[in-house]
Amino acid sequence: MTILIGLLSGILFGLGLSIADMINPHKIINFLDIVGDWDPSLAFVMIGALIPSAIAFYWIRKRNAPLLDSQFHTSNLKHIDRPLMLGSATFGVGWGISGFCPGPAVTGLSFFNPEALVMVISIYLGFIVQKFIVKKLSP
Amino acid sequence: MTSFTPYSALLGGGIIATSVIILLLFNGRTAGISGIMHELLPPHYTHYGWRIAFLLGLVLGGFVFQLFSDDYAPPRQDSPLWLIGLGGFLVGIGSRYGSGCTSGHGVCGLASFSKRSLFATLTFMGFGGLSVFVIKHIIG
């Protein structure tokens, strides 16, 4: 059952990204380009996503557990630390260069967009290298 | 140049909201796509099922959209593929190191009023803006 919910949730997410045209890297780059021909669409996607989910999350979190599991698996981290800062900055640079974040890269595969495929592969390369760096750096 | 599309943006955002809501309500999970992708790699040996299903769904969602819209092909960035690859590589490293991406921090985290996610979202938008500024207006 959790698999079916995962599938349904993924389909909705991919459909939402497609309807909002967030799979179009030009929309992303023009959102980030505030001194150019600024396209604020991405901000409206976030408003449309955040208002209902903030209200729903508030109610869901009052429960002791989700419907299909014994506990929530959400992050409990609170502190703004160095990895969060450096990681988010690195992510932002990559997002600006490519015009893709992970969701649109995966959904972009359905449009047989070779750029989406390059993104998915290079994101995984980044995961693997990151794991290697962290292992080297942490005692 | 792209035109501002507020209605389809809000509608798409609303559909994304239903996606993240059902995943939290039923499975108790955050729809953080970089996290879901990453957790397919070892050593996360459990709970593969819903993650694979979710990623498959992301692709299927694109197909569902194409059923209802005749010959839509999303424009490509038209940067050289090595540059897209470099972007993807940084997206991969950064989303792991920063524990999240646009979906995990920008949607789920902000909807949970997480200070970390607000900080992350402002940071990646700021640096995204900076890299676009350098590429488009300085390098040209």
Side-chain angles (χ1 to χ4, degrees):
Chain A
M1 194 61 200
T2 55
I3 292 177
L4 265 175
I5 295 293
L7 183 70
L8 180 64
S9 173
I11 290 174
L12 288 169
F13 208 114
L15 184 64
L17 285 175
S18 303
I19 289 174
D21 204 21
M22 291 294 108
I23 45 172
N24 174 354
H26 293 288
K27 297 281 279 187
I28 307 303
I29 289 177
N30 291 345
F31 170 76
L32 294 171
D33 188 16
I34 45 171
V35 298
D37 296 312
W38 192 48
D39 178 354
S41 304
L42 190 148
F44 278 62
V45 178
M46 290 189 65
I47 293 168
L50 283 174
I51 293 173
S53 46
I55 296 167
F57 279 22
Y58 177 77
W59 291 106
I60 294 169
R61 280 172 200 285
K62 287 189 168 178
R63 304 175 52 88
N64 291 324
L67 295 172
L68 299 177
D69 205 328
S70 56
Q71 54 172 328
F72 286 103
H73 302 273
T74 50
S75 167
N76 292 319
L77 299 173
K78 294 261 184 293
H79 294 290
I80 293 170
D81 48 16
R82 233 164 68 106
L84 184 77
M85 286 192 250
L86 294 176
S88 300
T90 308
F91 174 86
V93 171
W95 192 34
I97 291 176
S98 61
F100 287 96
C101 51
V106 176
T107 299
L109 295 176
S110 73
F111 296 86
F112 301 102
N113 181 352
E115 295 182 346
L117 182 63
V118 169
M119 276 304 290
V120 171
I121 294 170
S122 54
I123 287 171
Y124 270 105
L125 272 175
F127 287 165
I128 292 164
V129 169
Q130 192 272 343
K131 199 169 249 181
F132 183 71
I133 293 172
V134 165
K135 268 198 186 137
K136 284 255 157 163
L137 291 182
S138 48
Chain B
M1 164 135 199
T2 53
S3 50
F4 175 39
T5 48
Y7 302 112
S8 60
L10 284 173
L11 176 65
I15 295 172
I16 291 171
T18 56
S19 160
V20 302
I21 290 167
I22 62 167
L23 199 64
L24 185 69
L25 176 64
F26 287 91
N27 290 12
R29 301 278 179 176
T30 302
I33 295 168
S34 60
I36 294 173
M37 288 172 76
H38 170 253
E39 281 147 12
L40 290 187
L41 295 174
H44 306 266
Y45 290 115
T46 52
H47 307 293
Y48 274 122
W50 75 269
R51 294 194 170 100
I52 292 171
F54 181 92
L55 294 174
L56 212 65
L58 269 181
V59 180
L60 280 176
F63 281 121
V64 171
F65 172 74
Q66 290 170 78
L67 286 180
F68 298 101
S69 61
D70 312 323
D71 349 292
Y72 175 84
R76 297 186 187 155
Q77 234 254 57
D78 291 324
S79 294
L81 284 179
W82 68 264
L83 196 61
I84 308 261
L86 173 68
F89 182 67
L90 296 175
V91 162
I93 291 187
S95 62
R96 272 302 77 219
Y97 206 41
S99 343
C101 62
T102 341
S103 51
H105 282 309
V107 178
C108 298
L110 289 186
S112 313
F113 298 100
S114 155
K115 255 193 296 182
R116 269 173 65 85
S117 290
L118 178 63
F119 180 88
T121 306
L122 294 175
T123 304
F124 61 63
M125 283 189 173
F127 277 84
L130 201 67
S131 77
V132 169
F133 182 79
V134 169
I135 291 168
K136 276 182 94 161
H137 302 288
I138 295 181
I139 303 173

